[in-house]
Amino acid sequence: MARPRKPLLSYDRIVVTARGLVDAEGLPAVSTRRLAAELGVSGPSLYNHFRTKDEILEAVADSVSAQVDLSMFDDVRDWRTALHDWALSYRKALRDHPNIVPVLARGPGRRPAALRLADAVYGAMVAAGWPPAQATSIGALMRYFIMGSALGSFAGGFVDDASAYDPADYPHLGQAHLLADQQEKIDERAFETGLTALLDGLAAQYGRADREAGRTDP
């Protein structure tokens, strides 16, 4: 019997299949047995590419990091605009794959795409004139904010039953049962509001640093 022209398995095929399982059913859905069944191969054959389930999930997480646009750090956009545009791209990647966020939240570790992301943000901030320690803090702050927004929906946390919000107990939640119907709109607006406030605060710090440098320079 002739050998197939293409191998049954590849690194990318395993990652794409595992990512589909995570997206559809969550992290517990991924096991070597389940993946092998989805791929139509024997379980042991997966070990030619990955030693453990954790390695597979790390690869899935990095494939999501690779979806984040970093081009804004290579062009002429100012640091604030670059951070804003990057944050939108980062949030979109996490919103498209929310079930992998707990793995991403562990930090970049040795993941190549995640490390390129961290390197791009830090490098752009230092190049813009932020002190290295502050550039590190900005990268951490943005990561906290973006990942936090992807971990759940504020509007989706309310039920659409008006009786759940008795005015006698919750006098200011009379319209809360309507929030779930506008979940995406509310969450998008909240993210943009928070992002603008965060960037405004950083811009104020940046301006103060410039003024202080101007007073102390000879």
Side-chain angles (χ1 to χ4, degrees), residues 79-80 83 125 130 134 137-139 141-142 195-209:
W79 68 265
R80 177 185 172 136
L83 274 184
M125 294 306 99
W130 287 98
Q134 191 69 355
S137 297
I138 290 170
L141 170 64
M142 297 297 291
L195 181 59
T196 299
L198 188 156
L199 294 174
D200 283 349
L202 289 176
Q205 291 183 36
Y206 191 79
R208 284 197 300 272

Side-chain angles (χ1 to χ4, degrees), residues 148-188:
S149 75
L151 286 173
S153 164
F154 174 80
F158 294 89
V159 299
D160 60 0
D161 180 4
S163 66
Y165 308 106
D166 189 329
D169 297 320
Y170 315 107
H172 305 295
L173 295 182
Q175 303 296 309
H177 64 287
L178 303 175
L179 294 177
D181 286 339
Q182 302 183 57
Q183 176 177 333
E184 184 173 350
K185 178 180 178 181
I186 292 170
D187 290 347
E188 289 288 337

Side-chain angles (χ1 to χ4, degrees), residues 108-138:
R110 298 177 182 272
R111 292 184 237 122
L115 288 169
R116 284 192 294 271
L117 187 156
D119 182 73
V121 175
Y122 176 81
M125 294 306 99
V126 171
W130 287 98
Q134 191 69 355
T136 299
S137 297
I138 290 170

Side-chain angles (χ1 to χ4, degrees), residues 18-210:
R19 189 172 65 219
L21 285 175
V22 172
D23 288 345
E25 301 178 37
L27 296 173
V30 178
S31 68
T32 53
R33 178 177 296 181
R34 176 74 184 279
L35 268 176
E38 293 286 332
L39 291 162
V41 299
S42 63
S45 61
L46 294 175
Y47 297 118
N48 293 324
H49 300 276
F50 296 98
R51 292 174 298 177
T52 65
K53 170 185 169 178
D54 282 345
E55 283 191 1
I56 295 171
L57 292 177
E58 287 286 309
V60 170
D62 211 39
S63 74
V64 173
S65 293
Q67 296 175 14
V68 181
D69 183 13
L70 299 177
S71 64
M72 64 285 296
F73 297 118
D74 297 324
D75 59 28
V76 295
R77 274 173 271 192
D78 63 276
W79 68 265
R80 177 185 172 136
T81 302
L83 274 184
H84 176 274
D85 295 348
W86 167 73
L88 294 182
S89 178
Y90 198 175
R91 182 170 183 265
K92 181 182 184 305
L94 300 189
R95 187 181 57 202
D96 290 344
H97 307 282
N99 291 334
I100 199 64
V101 172
V103 179
L104 285 164
R106 299 172 189 165
R110 298 177 182 272
R111 292 184 237 122
L115 288 169
R116 284 192 294 271
L117 187 156
D119 182 73
V121 175
Y122 176 81
M125 294 306 99
V126 171
W130 287 98
Q134 191 69 355
T136 299
S137 297
I138 290 170
L141 170 64
M142 297 297 291
R143 185 168 168 272
Y144 297 153
F145 175 68
I146 297 165
M147 287 203 175
S149 75
L151 286 173
S153 164
F154 174 80
F158 294 89
V159 299
D160 60 0
D161 180 4
S163 66
Y165 308 106
D166 189 329
D169 297 320
Y170 315 107
H172 305 295
L173 295 182
Q175 303 296 309
H177 64 287
L178 303 175
L179 294 177
D181 286 339
Q182 302 183 57
Q183 176 177 333
E184 184 173 350
K185 178 180 178 181
I186 292 170
D187 290 347
E188 289 288 337
R189 189 171 62 210
F191 181 80
E192 189 64 47
T193 299
L195 181 59
T196 299
L198 188 156
L199 294 174
D200 283 349
L202 289 176
Q205 291 183 36
Y206 191 79
R208 284 197 300 272
D210 276 351

